[in-house]
Amino acid sequence: MKVRYLIIFIIIYIAVGTTICLQVAGSDTDNLTKNYSTEINRLIMESSRNWDELSLYDSRKIDSKEKFDYAIIDAEGELLVYTMQGIATSVSAASRDFDVIRDIERDGLVVGKLIVHNASSAEMRSRNRRIAIIVAIGFFIMLVISTIFYLYLQKRIIKPFGRLKGFAEEVAAGDLDNPLEMDRNHVFGSFTEGFDIMREELKASRLREEAAVKSRKELVAELSHDIKTPVSSIKAMVDVMMLTTDGEAEKETLQSINAKADQIDKLISNLFHATLEELEQLEVKPEELSTSDIGQMIAEADFRKLVTNCDIKDAAVLGDSLRLEQVINNIFSNSYKYAGTAISVASRFEEQELLPDDEDWEDGVKISKTRKYLVIDFSDEGGGVPEEELEVIMEKFRRGSNSAGKSGSGIGLYISKYLMEKMEGGLSCSNNPKGFTVTIRLKLL
């Protein structure tokens, strides 16, 4: 209910009440005059006989033996006698008070008028005023009750319903974080908790759905990127076989295989590109790994056997075996694609100071702390990349100037760096005297 409806209701209520009060206060009737017909007629005849004497009076108050009060006026309306102060002494005043007005005749002529005071008229007006006051008080009480009832409806029904409606609109719009205020003191109190439980269930359902969608995207991204490595291996093997095969039919078959491999590589790149654009993060679960595990990963990634030197120091490091294998495969895949030369793998231990936010304080004195890493360098002899491109090539969808004519999406190093940072390590690129070096850092345990 809007406020303007309440205002209209009050105005109509007051108007109706005022009209009734005025009608009751102003109502009167001449039927309430007591029946003194005989006495009035006798008084008229007596006044007619004594008119000569009465006409000599001038507004004289007289004592009367009659049961009613009266006044006598002449034909010109001049007051001759009256029996009580305050009674009507003119025809107009008598008509207003519903008094009895009778003509006084003598010899067939009207010589004056008898005005009989209607005592019940004043009593009736007084009674009507009391009734009007009572009715007004009744209307006022009803108005107060109606207003209180309206305010009650506003507080207990209308406003709570409005809140429920607003809450439902917010939920429908997707806002599931703001709970509904609990209030059991109104009609919809029992529904409040149920509505909020519904919101919580919808929110939980949405989170489950988002987690499922994210999981599917992660799976697609992982499979897409991991499939690219064996596809690259197939292409490399086809290239080797093309060099060692003399038959034209075999070469045509190998060319067809190579074309199909290129097609698969493009489709996977498109799928990986579309998935990664929406993917917020890939799940990484670091655990303890041994350097012997890392050596095995390097051996499996180097299917072209281009590693001429591999020196991995013994240590226990923090890493996710699946993600680390993905990083190493990407490093070898890029080296095969852009360099195709011998690869040297060397390792060393390194200490690095923590950032100021990670430093400890004791008694107001800063205590610097360091963290130890196993650093592994993967170096080829392919000539490297321009110095200004070393940071660029690790950004999403960015490739170096040496990538012209070579397939790729510019995602591998970006993903590899991201995964290494999630393992509390890092990845960087640099040029060496003969070519290009990719360095990974693994946290020592």
Side-chain angles (χ1 to χ4, degrees), residues 309-369:
N309 178 42
C310 184
D311 176 23
I312 304 296
K313 299 184 180 299
D314 293 331
V317 297
L318 181 68
D320 184 322
S321 59
L322 176 62
R323 300 305 183 189
L324 185 57
E325 183 177 5
Q326 186 175 343
V327 170
I328 294 174
N329 282 333
N330 181 73
I331 293 172
F332 274 90
S333 176
N334 285 342
S335 181
Y336 290 168
K337 183 189 302 183
Y338 299 113
T341 65
I343 300 173
S344 173
V345 180
S347 65
R348 64 184 184 277
F349 295 118
E350 193 175 89
E351 287 190 7
Q352 183 178 354
E353 288 192 9
L354 298 179
L355 295 175
D357 291 342
D358 297 326
E359 294 174 344
D360 292 337
W361 293 79
E362 184 176 341
D363 297 329
V365 178
K366 181 175 67 174
I367 302 176
S368 299
K369 297 178 67 175

Side-chain angles (χ1 to χ4, degrees), residues 22 41 56 104 152 183 203 215 262 271 315 331 380 385 412:
L22 292 175
N41 289 332
L56 298 176
I104 300 175
Y152 173 82
D183 186 359
K203 183 177 180 180
S215 178
D262 287 337
L271 178 62
I331 293 172
D380 60 39
V385 299

Side-chain angles (χ1 to χ4, degrees), residues 51 71-75 77-80 89-91 104 111-113 115:
W51 185 255
I72 297 176
I73 61 176
D74 60 16
E78 296 295 330
L79 176 63
L80 300 178
T89 57
S90 65
V91 173
I104 300 175
V111 295
K113 293 183 181 295
I115 300 175

Side-chain angles (χ1 to χ4, degrees), residues 264-332:
I264 293 173
D265 186 67
K266 290 179 181 178
L267 293 175
I268 292 173
S269 296
N270 291 336
L271 178 62
F272 185 61
H273 185 281
T275 304
L276 194 66
E277 282 186 327
E278 298 180 358
L279 196 60
E280 293 182 1
Q281 61 181 12
L282 298 173
E283 186 177 7
V284 178
K285 296 180 179 179
E287 58 184 3
E288 182 178 347
L289 296 177
S290 66
T291 51
S292 60
D293 296 328
I294 298 175
Q296 182 65 29
M297 294 178 190
I298 294 173
E300 292 177 356
D302 183 27
F303 59 88
R304 292 178 62 179
K305 308 304 179 183
L306 296 181
V307 174
T308 58
N309 178 42
C310 184
D311 176 23
I312 304 296
K313 299 184 180 299
D314 293 331
V317 297
L318 181 68
D320 184 322
S321 59
L322 176 62
R323 300 305 183 189
L324 185 57
E325 183 177 5
Q326 186 175 343
V327 170
I328 294 174
N329 282 333
N330 181 73
I331 293 172
F332 274 90

Side-chain angles (χ1 to χ4, degrees), residues 71-132:
I72 297 176
I73 61 176
D74 60 16
E76 286 74 24
E78 296 295 330
L79 176 63
L80 300 178
V81 296
Y82 62 95
T83 61
M84 185 183 73
Q85 292 287 349
I87 66 174
T89 57
S90 65
V91 173
S92 59
S95 300
R96 180 195 63 201
D97 295 339
F98 297 97
D99 293 340
V100 177
I101 305 173
R102 300 290 294 276
D103 293 335
I104 300 175
E105 296 181 359
R106 187 175 185 182
D107 298 332
L109 298 175
V110 176
V111 295
K113 293 183 181 295
L114 173 66
I115 300 175
V116 180
H117 177 60
N118 185 3
S120 63
S121 176
E123 295 177 359
M124 190 63 182
R125 285 197 299 272
S126 177
R127 186 168 68 89
N128 287 345
R129 282 193 294 269
R130 290 195 300 271
I131 293 174

